Structures are given as C-alpha cells and as structure tokens.
Amino acid sequence: MEKSLCLYFQVHQPDRLRLYRFFDIGNDSQYFDEFANRTILKRIAQRCYLPMNELIYELIQKHGKDFKVAFSISGAALEQFEQYAPEVLESFKKLASTKCVEFLAETYSHSLASLKSEKEFKNQVKEHSAAIKKYFGVKPKAFRNTELIYSDAIGEAVAAMGFNTMLTEGAKHILGWKSPNFLYTNAINPKLKLLLKNFNLSDDIAFRFAGNNVTSDQYAAWLAESAKEADIINLFMDYETFGEHQKASTGIFEFMRALPEAVLANTELKFCTPSEAAAMHQPVAPLHVPYAISWADEERDTSAWLGNELQNEAFEKLYSLEKGVMAAKDEELLADYRKLQESDHFYYMCTKFFSDGAVHKYFNPYDTPYEAFINYMNVLSDFALRVEKKNNKPKKK
C-alpha cells in the first residue's frame, strides 16, 4: 500500500472588536474595528495569501496530480476576502480550478459551538458548506472543526451530518503508545475516519522553522524516517505560517518551493488530500476521546479558550442569548451573533504563562486578558439589549 503525505492549511481572520466602553452600551452598536480588520487582512494578503497561492499554483503546474493540498477557510475569512481583498478570493478560485486542492468544511464563524450548541453547530456547518459550494463549486466531503476540536460525541455529530472524514490533533494523552501516522475511526460511529496531525513534524515548520534553518532535503529525510512505520503523515498548520509567522526572510517560501520535489524524489510518500487518504487507507483502530481535544498548548485540550473564569463567564453569557437571537429572525442580529462566537475572542482572554503564554501574546491585540474580557462583555451587554428589544417589539397588525 502507498504511503501518504497530507498537507492541510487553516485560513482564518477574526472580526476584531473595536475599543467598546461601558458608556457605549445602549448607545452604539458598531462593535467591530473595520480599519484594523482591513489593514491586517491586506498586510497578510501581500505577505502570505497571494504569494503562497501563486507558489502552490506553480507547484501544481510543475508536478501535476503528484502534488495536492487542502484548505479550510472560515466564513469569517471568506467575507473579509470578498470585502477587502477580492484578489485573494480569485487566487483561491484559481487553485480550485486545478482539481488538486480540497476545500474542507468547518464552522462558518470559526466558533466553539460544537462544545455548547449542537443546533448552532450544525447550522454553521451547513452555512459554511454552502459558502464553499458558492465560491469554489465543490461540496466539502471532509470536516475540520474549529481549532481541531474533537471528541467522540462531536465526531458522532459530524458523521450524522454526512461527513466520512474528520481531521483532529494527534494528542499524546489520547494516543498513548499509538502513532498519529495511521488512520483511525470514531469510537461511536466507525464510518467516520480520523486523520491525526503529526504535531512534531507540523510544528517544525509552523513554529520552529526560523530557528532550525532546516532545508527541504533535511525535512524530506525526517519524513522518510517517520514513514518507515506509517501509513500516512498529516502536516496541519495555519496558512499564515508562510510569510506572516515565518517571514519571507527566513527562506520559508524557498523551502516550500523545493519541498515537493524533495519528498517525491527521496521518500515513499505520495501527496494526497484528506478525502483521498481516508479512502486509500484502512483504519487501524477506533480512537477513544471522551473529552474534547484541540491543537493548542501543551495540554491539547480546550483550556486555551475555556480555561478560566473570565472565558467561561463570557462563553455562557454568549450562548444564553442563542434562543433570543433565533427567535428574533433578524439577519443583522444573527450576523453579529456569529461574529461574536469566533474562538479568537475567548483566546484573547487566556491567562496562561510560560511557553504557551508567549504564543497567546503573539496573537493578542489586547495588553491583558482582563482588557479583552471587559471589552467583550461590554459588547455582549449591548448585544443582549438589542436581542431583548427585538423580541419585545410590538408586532405589526
């Protein structure tokens, strides 16, 4: 049986909140910092999305069907592309036309809904799948949950939505002695196949590239060594790794340009998409995940978003409004509700320190987690007033 290399990239940009003061509550319902969102997106488009999409297109032209990748692009990112950088959207459509790129389903708002509301979770997945069909002309077959969050129950819900493949983290405390380099199944519904991230090899590119000065040949040698006892190696990472987190000056683009040839010439691995990998390989065992796991931090759990009282208070308050939002049947209210669900808002409230704290600080526009919490709760207070007002509005006769 062939050995597979699955390369998947996450594309997401949050809707950042503006500084929202206590005195704005009830007086101003403009929550989002459109200037920051536009400025940051345009910067990352120039540094990452446009040059990297062009590079991947060139690699596909060079290697044909021997080089394939997958993307999960959040609805939040798609909306920002359409609004601020339509050329980025066009470049992804160009990649879609090659038939060598798979687009995955996820939650539309890059939300944590799978941990709280199955109904909202399913609605967002349905909305995201429709967006992928609209923009790229394909119906997603494989699923990637926000932040690679997964549990047995979440996997069962995903299978019930018709997906037969899901991506998640190869967390040590779940795998034990087992390897992430094989195909597994959901413990409740074995029809759902699981691809597990090899975080060591993924992080060598995503987090350690600049410090390691690794070449494509060296990296291909690491892959070849890992492939000796493997069916599939899954490299999952943020797309912003290329040009934004790892600057162009590190040589990250040159590394990527040479990687496919190094892999194809020096390893047994063949590039494939997640759906192809799931169809090609036989699962070795069910994976038992009673409590939710994710990609984040040493714990590989959900504590990066829901690990302290601030985060949990904000999270519970947000989802307590779901029933009222749905009852209001107001598109503008629903759009804001979805944006307020983005996982980033809760990530900014994380109070972790040490090595993980440095990662959190890099992605955080606030000086402290407490500022993030207060700002978010001020916004949520105004939003709650809008929901209440909408539902108590006298009906027209």
Side-chain angles (χ1 to χ4, degrees):
M1 185 180 289
E2 287 187 346
K3 296 178 183 289
S4 301
L5 179 63
C6 190
L7 196 57
Y8 141 77
F9 304 114
Q10 171 63 35
V11 182
H12 170 62
Q13 284 300 315
D15 290 283
R16 296 162 190 84
L17 298 174
R18 71 175 182 85
L19 179 60
Y20 194 87
R21 303 180 188 280
F22 176 80
F23 299 103
D24 292 326
I25 300 171
N27 297 312
D28 187 345
S29 297
Q30 297 298 318
Y31 306 141
F32 303 101
D33 189 339
E34 303 299 350
F35 177 78
N37 292 333
R38 180 176 64 250
T39 303
I40 293 170
L41 182 73
K42 282 184 169 291
R43 182 193 76 206
I44 298 175
Q46 293 304 315
R47 290 182 179 180
C48 170
Y49 301 141
L50 292 172
M52 193 60 185
N53 280 2
E54 187 58 34
L55 174 55
I56 288 178
Y57 185 79
E58 289 173 10
L59 290 171
I60 291 170
Q61 294 302 301
K62 179 179 180 180
H63 298 286
K65 292 187 177 181
D66 287 336
F67 180 67
K68 297 175 181 178
V69 300
F71 290 98
S72 184
I73 310 177
S74 71
L78 288 169
E79 286 186 8
Q80 289 192 38
F81 291 156
E82 192 165 52
Q83 189 172 0
Y84 304 131
E87 66 275 16
V88 173
L89 201 52
E90 290 305 313
S91 70
F92 276 113
K93 289 178 181 178
K94 186 178 174 182
L95 287 178
S97 70
T98 67
K99 309 298 184 187
C100 291
V101 175
E102 180 173 13
F103 292 91
L104 311 180
E106 67 158 84
T107 58
Y108 188 87
S109 301
H110 202 72
S111 76
L112 305 174
S114 61
L115 299 172
K116 189 64 178 178
S117 171
E118 187 171 343
K119 186 174 182 180
E120 174 66 4
F121 178 49
K122 289 182 176 180
N123 285 341
Q124 285 200 29
V125 174
K126 186 177 179 180
E127 184 181 3
H128 185 265
S129 294
I132 296 300
K133 178 70 175 175
K134 170 188 168 184
Y135 289 116
F136 307 117
V138 293
K139 182 181 179 182
K141 298 177 182 177
F143 185 78
R144 178 264 185 205
N145 198 16
T146 308
E147 316 295 3
L148 291 179
I149 290 172
Y150 175 83
S151 69
D152 294 336
I154 291 171
E156 184 185 26
V158 168
M161 285 187 264
F163 297 100
N164 57 20
T165 305
M166 186 167 175
L167 286 63
T168 188
E169 178 70 27
K172 284 182 183 177
H173 68 280
I174 293 296
L175 282 170
W177 56 269
K178 298 189 286 292
S179 167
N181 301 330
F182 293 92
L183 193 65
Y184 293 86
T185 63
N186 176 260
I188 301 172
N189 187 338
K191 290 183 179 178
L192 183 74
K193 296 176 181 178
L194 302 176
L195 298 175
L196 308 185
K197 172 184 169 185
N198 184 312
F199 67 82
N200 281 323
L201 286 167
S202 298
D203 291 355
D204 281 331
I205 299 175
F207 294 110
R208 294 187 288 269
F209 180 80
N212 285 347
N213 293 316
V214 64
T215 66
S216 55
D217 287 336
Q218 285 173 322
Y219 192 78
W222 296 348
L223 290 171
E225 184 64 29
S226 296
K228 289 179 181 177
E229 295 185 14
D231 285 347
I232 176 170
I233 296 176
N234 299 305
L235 304 178
F236 303 164
M237 65 197 76
D238 285 345
Y239 202 36
E240 295 80 15
T241 293
F242 301 90
E244 178 65 14
H245 304 161
Q246 303 291 337
K247 306 301 183 192
S249 59
T250 65
I252 190 76
F253 289 105
E254 289 75 14
F255 167 83
M256 192 64 206
R257 181 173 279 107
L259 185 62
E261 191 168 334
V263 169
L264 294 170
N266 301 310
T267 78
E268 300 176 75
L269 295 162
K270 304 295 182 186
F271 288 94
C272 66
T273 66
S275 290
E276 288 175 343
M280 187 184 308
H281 299 284
Q282 287 298 314
V284 295
L287 190 71
H288 295 274
V289 188
Y291 304 105
I293 58 173
S294 79
W295 71 267
D297 300 343
E298 190 65 30
E299 298 93 342
R300 298 295 196 272
D301 59 13
T302 59
S303 60
W305 304 273
L306 299 173
N308 64 40
E309 291 181 10
L310 305 178
Q311 293 167 315
N312 282 287
E313 182 180 341
F315 188 69
E316 293 299 324
K317 175 66 174 175
L318 173 69
Y319 282 96
S320 73
L321 300 171
E322 180 185 338
K323 188 175 179 180
V325 172
M326 298 308 163
K329 294 183 168 38
D330 182 282
E331 287 189 12
E332 188 176 339
L333 207 62
L334 180 59
D336 283 351
Y337 181 59
R338 292 271 163 84
K339 289 178 180 179
L340 291 172
Q341 288 184 59
E342 291 168 12
S343 66
D344 311 75
H345 302 305
F346 302 96
Y347 195 77
Y348 301 150
M349 301 176 202
C350 187
T351 50
K352 290 187 180 183
F353 297 100
F354 307 113
S355 59
D356 290 333
V359 176
H360 287 265
K361 190 173 181 181
Y362 177 87
F363 293 104
N364 200 335
Y366 298 94
D367 290 333
T368 71
Y370 308 99
E371 287 181 25
F373 171 74
I374 291 167
N375 204 58
Y376 184 83
M377 293 304 282
N378 284 344
V379 168
L380 213 52
S381 295
D382 183 83
F383 183 76
L385 290 176
R386 288 172 60 202
V387 173
E388 184 180 2
K389 185 177 179 181
K390 205 76 181 176
N391 283 303
N392 291 334
K393 191 175 181 181
K395 302 231 186 315
K396 292 183 180 178
K397 293 183 180 179

